[in-house]
Amino acid sequence: MSGAYRRRLSTLVLGRFARNVMARVTQGTLAVSRLWPGRTDRLTIAPNDLRTADATRAAEIYAGRFVFAGKIVTCHGRSIFEHEPPSHDWEVALLGFGWLRHLRAADTAITRANARSLVDEWMTLGGRRRPAGNRPEVMARRVISLLSQAPLVLSDTDGKFYRRYLRALAGEIRVLRFPTGNIPDGLPRLQVTIALCYASLCLANQARYIRSASRRLSDELQRQILPDGGHFSRNPGALIELMIDLLPLRQTFSARNIAPPPALLNAIDRMMPMLRFFRHGDGNFALFNGMSSTPTDLLATLLAYDDTHGSPMASMPHSGFQRLDAAALTVIVDTGPPPPPNVSDEAHAGCLSFEMSSGPSRIVVNCGVPTAGRDNWRVFARATAAHSTVTYHDSSSCQFVERGAMKRFLRGAPIVSGPSKVEAYREVGPNGTTLTASHDGYQSRFNIIHRRVLTMAPDGSRLDGEDTLSPPSGGRIKGGEAGFALRFHLHPAVKANRLDDARAVVLVLPSREVWTFEAHDDKVDLEESVFLAGNDGPRRSVQIVVRQDAKHNATVRWSFSRSAAGSPSATAARRSASRAPQLPL
């Protein structure tokens, strides 16, 4: 265990210990906060909810069937809040109350009455709330949902229910406003801040909090949103989660005739280009650092607010990503170190991994993570082997907290060691655009530097690559074995067949394009893989693997090239692919 590993782990443990002590000290105060929520007698404005609503789900909820995170619970005459949740994700979705938007989309007297009944059950059973509902980020989501869906819940209601609703809402807000020090850093802390801004703008007698809430929001946005518009967790999905709340917040400021904080406007302007940066030709996001399947409905809504409609930028140096584009070919590369340990619970060991797409077809991907049931796949999904890059000595380029007791205490498995020096530079020449990058994630353990060179042809017909694993100048590789594996995970829709010479693989895309992968001097294998980020859950796929020994051959040269549409090889590949059996789900 290196000194840097110990220092980072000690810092995480001390921080977690301090937050636990602070939470216990303030626990009694928070209980009083709910009993004495503060004065607010009316709702002055309800913010917009940009999340997509499905009116057909209102009938399911009315029938007592609650489907969240791939799990279903049927009430059978009991309150849904009294049922044992089938999963943590399901419980978070229930207690976040985002499902109220489906009832509002139906907009009938029955759904309005159903919404009031369910909220009344929650308020009545408040003493039996589960710990998940008291998590700050879940409470923040609930506050935003109850504010934005107030027209649905409070329509045609009596004064008594109206006052109970506002008291319950004010109690939640007062708890969030109290500085417990137990709010996880990163996205949860920013979501709490956003909820407090909504509360100060939407409720009467809360105007005195607008300035402090705006200042707190500005501070968090300046700290968490990097100069190029990325989130400091380096998870592309965080951008969607934040923008879907920040855009209506900007509108709410304007509706109250209050100038939005400059930091809010600036953050939105910087984040919008990042949404285009991470998109492939099919509209899905690249799978880096905890990104799952892309919520295409939310993304389409967000991009409708983009007035520039410009081409994606080539480099995001502060977030640590590079993008190569030529004609229909797109390559997105992770060229950054892991995020700070305190926001690395979802981060992956995927430095120098890349994804590639041609038009609407994704070809090379990372495995990603599923939208539900992440705990079952988390260890695998975060490993370097689940990414399209080099794995040295069957280990990951990052080290995670592994001991069960430590993970339970820290409430996660943050990264405690990984690449600290990641270099990347690009140049344009007659042969196209060349990206050269390297990282030192394996140096402390094996004295190895991974260097990757990618060259994209100007017409987008070819991607050439070179991966080298070698010690720094004058050094020697540590350890006896020096084996490494170069992996290219293929999208499940791609059909792959290895050629007889075992040095090339023919790929047929859903668009009927034919590409060929070739390792110029090495044997190529096709092995099983899994694509975790599918809309319908994990799916079987395949990966191209090239194995080599750094002591005997430190460099692997490879290429992806597109075959001409009418060439004999392309025609033969399509015929072979049409006869190949489909991979089972």
Side-chain angles (χ1 to χ4, degrees):
M1 185 182 297
S2 66
Y5 183 104
R6 292 191 184 93
R7 286 192 296 272
R8 288 191 177 185
L9 185 58
S10 298
T11 301
L12 289 168
V13 169
L14 290 174
R16 179 74 258 174
F17 180 77
R19 290 194 297 272
N20 288 349
V21 171
M22 189 65 174
R24 291 178 181 178
V25 169
T26 58
Q27 189 173 11
T29 306
L30 297 183
V32 174
S33 298
R34 280 203 174 97
L35 295 174
W36 184 39
R39 179 174 175 265
T40 180
D41 53 9
R42 70 185 187 281
L43 183 76
T44 59
I45 189 172
N48 290 329
D49 188 348
L50 299 183
R51 289 171 172 80
T52 304
D54 183 359
T56 61
R57 295 190 62 181
E60 292 184 347
I61 294 174
Y62 181 73
R65 293 189 297 272
F66 290 78
V67 183
F68 308 128
K71 304 290 185 180
I72 182 171
V73 173
T74 305
C75 289
H76 297 300
R78 294 171 55 203
S79 169
I80 188 62
F81 301 103
E82 294 180 319
H83 281 264
E84 187 71 22
S87 71
H88 174 75
D89 292 339
W90 184 95
E91 185 178 19
V92 167
L94 173 70
L95 298 177
F97 278 80
W99 43 268
L100 283 174
R101 69 184 185 275
H102 303 307
L103 300 180
R104 189 176 183 182
D107 195 25
T108 65
I110 291 178
T111 56
R112 290 193 292 269
N114 191 24
R116 286 193 297 273
S117 175
L118 290 168
V119 172
D120 184 64
E121 288 177 6
W122 169 73
M123 292 188 297
T124 302
L125 298 172
R128 281 178 262 174
R129 291 177 187 152
R130 297 179 181 274
N134 289 329
R135 287 172 48 189
E137 63 271 27
V138 178
M139 198 177 298
R141 176 54 49 207
R142 184 163 60 242
V143 166
I144 295 174
S145 297
L146 293 177
L147 287 171
S148 59
Q149 305 306 330
L152 165 74
V153 181
L154 300 178
S155 176
D156 303 325
T157 190
D158 56 29
K160 182 179 179 181
F161 181 86
Y162 189 98
R163 289 189 295 271
R164 285 186 65 215
Y165 186 86
L166 291 182
R167 281 198 302 270
L169 192 53
E172 301 278 286
I173 294 164
R174 188 176 177 88
V175 171
L176 290 179
R177 198 170 275 147
F178 195 90
T180 65
N182 198 35
I183 304 174
D185 199 2
L187 190 60
R189 187 169 296 178
L190 197 43
Q191 288 174 329
V192 168
T193 307
I194 292 170
L196 291 177
C197 277
Y198 274 121
S200 63
L201 293 168
C202 297
L203 293 173
N205 301 308
Q206 302 290 312
R208 64 185 182 276
Y209 296 111
I210 293 177
R211 179 176 296 180
S212 61
S214 298
R215 184 171 58 251
R216 183 173 169 181
L217 175 67
S218 298
D219 291 342
E220 283 299 320
L221 288 173
Q222 290 172 357
R223 188 176 70 91
Q224 295 196 28
I225 306 302
L226 302 173
D228 57 17
H231 188 253
F232 73 158
S233 69
R234 305 191 68 239
N235 183 346
L239 300 175
I240 298 176
E241 288 296 317
L242 288 174
M243 288 288 279
I244 210 70
D245 286 329
L246 292 178
L247 287 172
L249 182 60
R250 182 180 64 180
Q251 294 175 334
T252 306
F253 272 103
S254 300
R256 288 293 309 271
N257 292 319
I258 299 173
L264 171 60
L265 302 178
N266 187 265
I268 291 174
D269 290 343
R270 284 182 285 131
M271 293 166 69
M272 193 65 76
M274 287 295 286
L275 297 178
R276 297 194 303 273
F277 178 89
F278 284 115
R279 291 183 79 203
H280 284 291
D282 64 351
N284 284 283
F285 266 28
L287 303 173
F288 297 110
N289 290 305
M291 182 67 200
S292 186
S293 61
T294 303
T296 52
D297 52 344
L298 295 185
L299 186 57
T301 299
L302 295 176
L303 292 175
Y305 286 82
D306 184 10
D307 297 328
T308 60
H309 301 288
S311 300
M313 298 182 67
S315 175
M316 294 298 180
H318 299 91
S319 298
F321 293 97
Q322 298 280 335
R323 181 181 174 109
L324 305 175
D325 283 297
L329 186 64
T330 294
V331 172
I332 306 172
V333 192
D334 182 345
T335 57
N342 56 317
V343 289
S344 65
D345 283 344
E346 299 293 332
H348 290 190
C351 191
L352 299 197
S353 65
F354 75 90
E355 295 199 345
M356 183 177 80
S357 60
S358 178
S361 300
R362 282 184 284 174
I363 305 174
V364 178
V365 295
N366 296 317
C367 293
V369 294
T371 54
R374 292 190 174 198
D375 290 343
N376 299 328
W377 291 98
R378 192 180 304 275
V379 174
F380 165 78
R382 300 180 74 189
T384 301
H387 298 77
S388 294
T389 186
V390 170
T391 304
Y392 185 82
H393 207 270
D394 290 329
S395 62
S396 291
S397 59
C398 294
Q399 291 180 276
F400 309 92
V401 172
E402 297 179 351
R403 295 181 179 178
M406 187 62 68
K407 287 195 291 187
R408 288 191 295 271
F409 179 74
L410 296 175
R411 299 180 187 178
I415 292 176
V416 289
S417 177
S420 58
K421 184 179 181 181
V422 184
E423 297 180 340
Y425 63 91
R426 53 195 297 154
E427 54 186 342
V428 179
N431 295 326
T433 303
T434 298
L435 172 67
T436 302
S438 64
H439 79 79
D440 62 350
Y442 291 114
Q443 185 173 2
S444 63
R445 288 170 288 165
F446 307 108
N447 200 34
I448 281 287
I449 300 294
H450 176 203
R451 180 175 177 268
R452 166 165 276 183
V453 181
L454 302 175
T455 301
M456 180 179 288
D459 61 355
S461 64
R462 186 179 180 93
L463 178 71
D464 287 283
E466 179 181 286
D467 285 281
T468 302
L469 287 100
S470 58
S473 299
R476 299 181 62 181
I477 297 176
K478 295 179 181 178
E481 298 182 2
F484 65 90
L486 174 60
R487 304 175 188 276
F488 303 92
H489 296 271
L490 302 179
H491 190 272
V494 176
K495 296 180 180 179
N497 290 289
R498 192 175 69 158
L499 298 185
D500 293 337
D501 63 2
R503 297 186 185 278
V505 176
V506 176
L507 310 173
V508 180
L509 313 187
S511 63
R512 308 300 290 170
E513 277 188 2
V514 176
W515 286 73
T516 300
F517 171 85
E518 184 177 2
H520 304 299
D521 304 309
D522 297 279
K523 178 185 174 183
V524 177
D525 291 315
L526 278 180
E527 300 180 2
E528 288 188 349
S529 180
V530 60
F531 183 70
L532 298 175
N535 292 325
D536 51 356
R539 298 175 60 186
R540 288 184 60 184
S541 61
V542 297
Q543 58 178 314
I544 300 171
V545 183
V546 180
R547 289 184 168 81
Q548 194 50 267
D549 191 302
K551 291 183 178 179
H552 297 93
N553 188 1
T555 299
V556 175
R557 295 178 178 87
W558 50 269
S559 65
F560 285 92
S561 58
R562 185 176 62 225
S563 302
S567 65
S569 60
T571 302
R574 293 190 190 98
R575 290 174 179 171
S576 177
S578 65
R579 295 191 298 268
Q582 295 288 332
L583 284 172
L585 298 181

